[in-house]
Amino acid sequence: MTNRPEHPYVDFLGLKYDSTNDGRSKCSLKFRKAFLNPRNVIHGGVIYALADSGMGEALLSTLEKNQLVATIEIKITYLKPAGHFDLVCDSLLIRKGRRVAFLESDVYSDNELISKASGSFAIL
């Protein structure tokens, strides 16, 4: 469990943290029609937000209560469209320094890998 700060954007999306422990997190989003883009698939920004939040949560699980994180950069590769299914994100801390950490996320739709992301996060 992390010392998660209030996060209105995550609440707005309906993102749920299913598990968090020792540099790992699993989070999910229930499908909503509002997530669709004009091509009738889940917008890439929703997938990005899920990966970003999952990596942040994984890092928070390794920090002291008074520490926070901020995204420095994220690279995301979309492998296939998400479709009309719930999304699940598995995130993992790869390396943590004193001020910067590197993490990875895999996002799944209907149990299929649809994107991979990696990111650098500041430790505040």
Side-chain angles (χ1 to χ4, degrees):
M1 186 70 173
T2 64
N3 183 31
R4 184 180 312 119
E6 183 179 352
H7 200 313
Y9 183 65
V10 163
D11 296 340
F12 170 75
L13 289 175
L15 192 148
K16 301 290 182 211
Y17 294 103
D18 303 313
S19 63
T20 303
N21 195 1
D22 297 326
R24 294 179 178 271
S25 77
K26 184 173 196 156
C27 55
S28 59
L29 275 174
K30 294 276 186 202
F31 172 78
R32 292 187 357 218
K33 188 174 179 182
F35 293 158
L36 296 176
N37 66 19
R39 291 185 42 232
N40 201 34
V41 296
I42 294 177
H43 190 283
V46 173
I47 298 165
Y48 178 98
L50 181 62
D52 180 37
S53 298
M55 287 186 277
E57 184 73 3
L59 179 55
L60 278 172
S61 75
T62 68
L63 301 180
E64 301 296 321
K65 290 186 180 199
N66 63 338
Q67 292 180 296
L68 296 173
V69 303
T71 307
I72 296 171
E73 64 83 28
I74 291 179
K75 179 197 183 306
I76 189 163
T77 301
Y78 300 99
L79 303 170
K80 64 180 294 183
H84 293 200
F85 302 100
D86 297 346
L87 300 176
V88 175
C89 177
D90 290 321
S91 299
L92 175 65
L93 174 64
I94 303 299
R95 179 156 167 65
K96 182 175 89 170
R98 288 183 312 127
R99 296 186 181 155
V100 176
F102 181 79
L103 295 99
E104 293 180 342
S105 284
D106 291 336
V107 179
Y108 298 87
S109 174
D110 196 31
N111 294 314
E112 288 192 66
L113 182 65
I114 61 160
S115 74
K116 293 187 76 64
S118 58
S120 299
F121 288 72
I123 299 170
L124 310 171

